[in-house]
Amino acid sequence: MTDTATPQEEIQEVQPTEAEGAAPQQPAADGRPPRSPRQPRQQQQQKQKPKQAAQQPQQPARSRKVHPALEKLFELYPNMFGARFLPLKLGVFQDLLEKHPDDFKKDDLKVALGLHARSTRYLEAVAAGLARHDLDGNVVEPVAPEHVHHAILELHRRRAQRSGEDLRPQLVARIARAVEASGLDREAYAVLVRSRDEETNAVLDEALAELARQAAKREALLRAFEASGRGSEHEFAEMYGMDADEVARTLARARAERPQVPPAA
């Protein structure tokens, strides 16, 4: 549709064509051939968009540069530096230098192992409490509780920066699980991991307080069972409408958590 078209011409431009069953257009009074039907401007623009998109050059995908020493590590030990990351044994840097004196420069290897150990995937393996492995994939030793703790804090920091959400409840719960998995009592764990950072110490205290509340509830359940006079844990659970298996597990744990009283002399 042109800017100089009359209202009658604008109406003609949107009428059905002869192929659609409309009457053929007659020549104009001055003898000029009739205007060919034109599509509305909106349809023309829609047809032009795919063509314009096809003409735009595609941007090449950017590939992240990998440190050459890391590539060599993957080539030599794909099970340790490949699809799955596992915590490495302490002293693996020296092991690699001794096994491959011609493959790695000391400074390059140090940088590559630092990049590997700071990667999110490696920190996830440490935070999950997986054992440390040697270069052949053999389990060597557990990861120290303080290393697990610091990996959890670093992962939380990275996720909080990306999402902008309040992830504190998840952090508190994960630290509480790490305390229980460490095999240490709450006081010993706190001494081991407490730092100068007030915020992380506050999160630690919140996790320890939650664990204390859970322990108090287990102890209360054990005392209620002992005072009930019921002969079995199953009877006790039925009396209160609780799951018998869950009650049995809770009571067993409460008994294990009770301080051991030394026998009288």
Side-chain angles (χ1 to χ4, degrees):
M1 186 181 302
T2 64
D3 294 336
T4 58
T6 64
Q8 289 80 5
E9 289 173 333
E10 290 178 358
I11 294 173
Q12 270 191 339
E13 289 176 3
V14 297
Q15 293 302 314
T17 63
E18 184 175 357
E20 295 172 337
Q25 297 182 23
Q26 300 298 325
D30 58 1
R32 289 181 298 174
R35 288 176 176 264
S36 59
R38 298 177 62 190
Q39 295 177 341
R41 184 169 299 177
Q42 184 178 2
Q43 293 183 11
Q44 291 177 351
Q45 293 174 349
Q46 289 176 351
K47 286 187 176 183
Q48 290 174 357
K49 285 181 181 179
K51 184 176 180 181
Q52 292 173 353
Q55 291 175 351
Q56 293 178 354
Q58 295 184 351
Q59 296 295 331
R62 293 184 179 179
S63 57
R64 187 171 55 181
K65 238 181 143 182
V66 179
H67 194 284
L70 269 178
E71 291 183 337
K72 189 64 178 178
L73 287 170
F74 171 72
E75 178 186 331
L76 293 170
Y77 302 101
N79 293 330
M80 297 301 298
F81 297 90
R84 185 186 182 197
F85 285 14
L86 293 170
L88 296 168
K89 64 164 286 194
L90 300 177
V92 72
F93 172 73
Q94 193 60 38
D95 291 348
L96 285 165
L97 287 179
E98 292 175 359
K99 285 189 173 186
H100 308 280
D102 299 328
D103 291 322
F104 299 108
K105 292 180 180 179
K106 188 174 181 180
D107 291 342
D108 289 343
L109 181 60
K110 187 179 294 186
V111 170
L113 287 176
L115 292 170
H116 181 73
R118 289 191 297 271
S119 69
T120 298
R121 290 172 61 196
Y122 187 86
L123 289 173
E124 281 286 9
V126 174
L130 300 180
R132 293 191 180 276
H133 293 66
D134 62 19
L135 292 171
D136 296 323
N138 301 314
V139 174
V140 175
E141 59 188 348
V143 175
E146 61 268 31
H147 295 167
V148 174
H149 183 81
H150 293 309
I152 291 173
L153 291 177
E154 176 59 20
L155 287 171
H156 167 76
R157 184 188 67 80
R158 295 182 186 185
R159 287 172 182 157
Q161 284 181 343
R162 289 196 305 268
S163 68
E165 299 177 7
D166 180 16
L167 303 177
R168 187 185 181 99
Q170 293 93 317
L171 176 61
V172 170
R174 192 165 189 181
I175 290 178
R177 292 194 298 269
V179 175
E180 294 187 315
S182 71
L184 300 172
D185 61 41
R186 295 188 294 275
E187 291 76 14
Y189 187 94
V191 170
L192 193 61
V193 305
R194 197 174 293 280
S195 67
R196 296 180 180 179
D197 186 85
E198 294 183 1
E199 179 64 23
T200 58
N201 288 338
V203 173
L204 171 65
D205 290 338
E206 191 174 339
L208 295 175
E210 176 58 28
L211 289 174
R213 285 192 292 271
Q214 294 174 7
K217 288 174 65 176
R218 290 190 291 270
E219 174 63 20
L221 185 67
L222 178 56
R223 290 182 180 180
F225 170 69
E226 293 171 341
S228 68
R230 297 293 174 177
S232 71
E233 296 170 353
H234 185 77
E235 278 184 69
F236 175 75
E238 282 190 339
M239 181 173 67
Y240 289 99
M242 296 184 290
D243 181 82
D245 293 336
E246 182 63 28
V247 167
R249 286 192 295 268
T250 303
L251 293 178
R253 184 170 177 181
R255 293 187 185 100
E257 290 172 344
R258 272 186 171 175
Q260 298 295 322
V261 180

